[in-house]
Amino acid sequence: MASFKLSNYDCIGFDLDNTLLQYKVSNLIKLSYGLLTDFLVEHKKYSEKYLKRTLTDSDFDFMQKGLVLDIRRGNILKLDANGLVWKATHGTKLLTTEELLSFYPNQRFEFSDIFTTDLHSIWNGELSLQVRTVLDYFDISVSVIFANMVDSIDGENGKQSVYDFWPDILDSLKYIYSVEKFKSSEGVFLEFKSNPEKYFHKCSSETISWIRELKKKRKTFLITGSDYDFMNFTASYAMGENWRSLFDVVVCFACKPGFFAFERPYFGIEDKAEEIVPVEEFLEGGVYRRGNWKDLVKFFTRITGKHEPVCLYFGDNIMQDVYVPNKKANCDTMVVVDEQLAERMLHHELSHTDESIINSEFWGSYFSLREPDGFKDTFWNHIIRTHAKVCIPQVNIISTIPLEQSIKCFVKDDVNSCGYYPGKPLSLHL
């Protein structure tokens, strides 16, 4: 059985949001849903009937990370490992097998090949206006909003051949999450600042101590999409005011996944945010904005003395933190997927905690699809097996593992390799 050790790596890094910083998920979803629908009703003049209401248990059951929005058809899709449509809804209505095949003959849609060959290409540009993947808790409520808007349009005007409201949802996302709104306390940031304990968990003392000890033996780094002011606010809350001492370098507003794929310049922070900083001027313990992985590796080369330093990155977003870093930057990854806990919760092995985890019975397991003759991987579980070394439910799970201890891991193209730690999700045992 394949395995690896943390001691194999010269540099070990982390994402912040939903990785080191865990959110109280139900509260975050309720907040984002309310602000997004407020914007759509007040600024885009959509009907209150379908949007302005309290989220129900059925709404939460409708949400799952990894769903794909077929924007122009008004459909929501769950894909198998080959990019084929395994289950779908039109709006909130589940499609029958016949209806699904009428939309997607042989279960294929026009982006099936792109999903399996170049997933990164759908992230930006023209394709991003036709298909969207819902990958984390910041935008997971969009699946419910999207479905309700389709239902609203169908109810008022009949089923459409093309749905064109997606730019309005994009505008609503930009309105509540734009980085400049932290200073003005608008969007989600007003609530975050006013009631941080309602939305954030504090990082465990064991995990903080583990990173501190890790830094004595390896170089540590943090790469986050949050800009400096929000990152400093959340990291200070979660890890303490001295959080920067845990890392040899911090990159904020990294604009992932492009950070791992393109060569963009680095900038300073705060009053030097417009000044380009060459990687040759990086200091250990420094904080920098934007940038790119290739230059960061040059910095690692300098501070480790290794010609080709070996790096490992922990993150939760399958596209930003796993697929692109591994495929485009050849960086090993460890993925944080709390659905491992959600499945145990569903099978009553863990108590239900509204603030921490959601799980979908409507869409089924995040990891596997039930077929008449057995089970097969979901699309995202296939990506995990192919591009991650290990899949863990929370960072604190790994913080008890000594650097020299062997950990079972995935091996690309080896279906018998198993990198789920501390064990397989329950659906993969069935």
Side-chain angles (χ1 to χ4, degrees), residues 110-167:
E110 57 265 50
F111 303 111
S112 290
D113 289 340
I114 294 175
F115 264 81
T116 55
T117 58
D118 188 14
L119 182 58
H120 184 213
S121 66
I122 70 170
W123 193 254
N124 293 303
E126 182 62 29
L127 291 183
S128 67
L129 299 178
Q130 300 178 58
V131 61
R132 165 88 176 207
T133 52
V134 179
L135 290 177
D136 60 38
Y137 291 125
F138 292 118
D139 65 358
I140 197 171
S141 66
V142 166
S143 56
V144 172
I145 294 171
F146 178 88
N148 287 338
M149 290 176 73
V150 171
D151 288 351
S152 174
I153 292 168
D154 289 354
E156 294 176 2
N157 304 305
K159 188 174 292 187
Q160 307 293 295
S161 56
V162 175
Y163 295 81
D164 60 2
F165 60 79
W166 180 247

Side-chain angles (χ1 to χ4, degrees), residues 10-25:
D10 304 300
C11 307
I12 298 176
F14 304 87
D15 177 35
L16 179 59
D17 294 301
N18 297 303
T19 301
L20 291 179
L21 170 66
Q22 291 290 316
Y23 284 77
K24 297 183 178 180
V25 170

Side-chain angles (χ1 to χ4, degrees), residues 226-343:
S226 298
D227 212 346
Y228 179 75
D229 48 6
F230 182 56
M231 172 191 67
N232 188 48
F233 173 76
T234 56
S236 296
Y237 180 85
M239 294 181 282
E241 295 295 331
N242 199 33
W243 67 270
R244 283 178 55 173
S245 68
L246 298 172
F247 307 102
D248 290 287
V249 65
V250 174
V251 180
C252 60
F253 199 35
C255 300
K256 298 179 290 183
F259 176 87
F260 293 99
F262 308 123
E263 295 187 33
R264 298 165 173 164
Y266 280 95
F267 293 85
I269 60 173
E270 297 182 309
D271 61 328
K272 297 183 178 181
E274 302 302 318
E275 296 182 17
I276 292 178
V277 182
V279 69
E280 292 79 13
E281 297 180 10
F282 276 22
L283 301 175
E284 290 193 56
V287 180
Y288 306 96
R289 298 175 74 246
R290 299 181 70 87
N292 67 89
W293 177 254
K294 185 177 179 180
D295 278 348
L296 191 61
V297 172
K298 292 178 182 177
F299 175 67
F300 293 153
T301 298
R302 170 155 59 92
I303 65 175
T304 63
K306 301 288 185 69
H307 176 61
E308 293 183 350
V310 184
C311 303
L312 176 69
Y313 183 59
F314 288 72
D316 71 291
N317 188 295
I318 305 297
M319 170 79 81
Q320 297 183 18
D321 303 325
V322 179
Y323 176 83
V324 176
N326 183 250
K327 186 175 179 66
K328 302 289 186 179
N330 198 31
C331 176
D332 283 353
T333 67
M334 187 176 292
V335 61
V336 179
V337 181
D338 61 14
E339 281 80 3
Q340 290 187 66
L341 295 181
E343 290 201 357

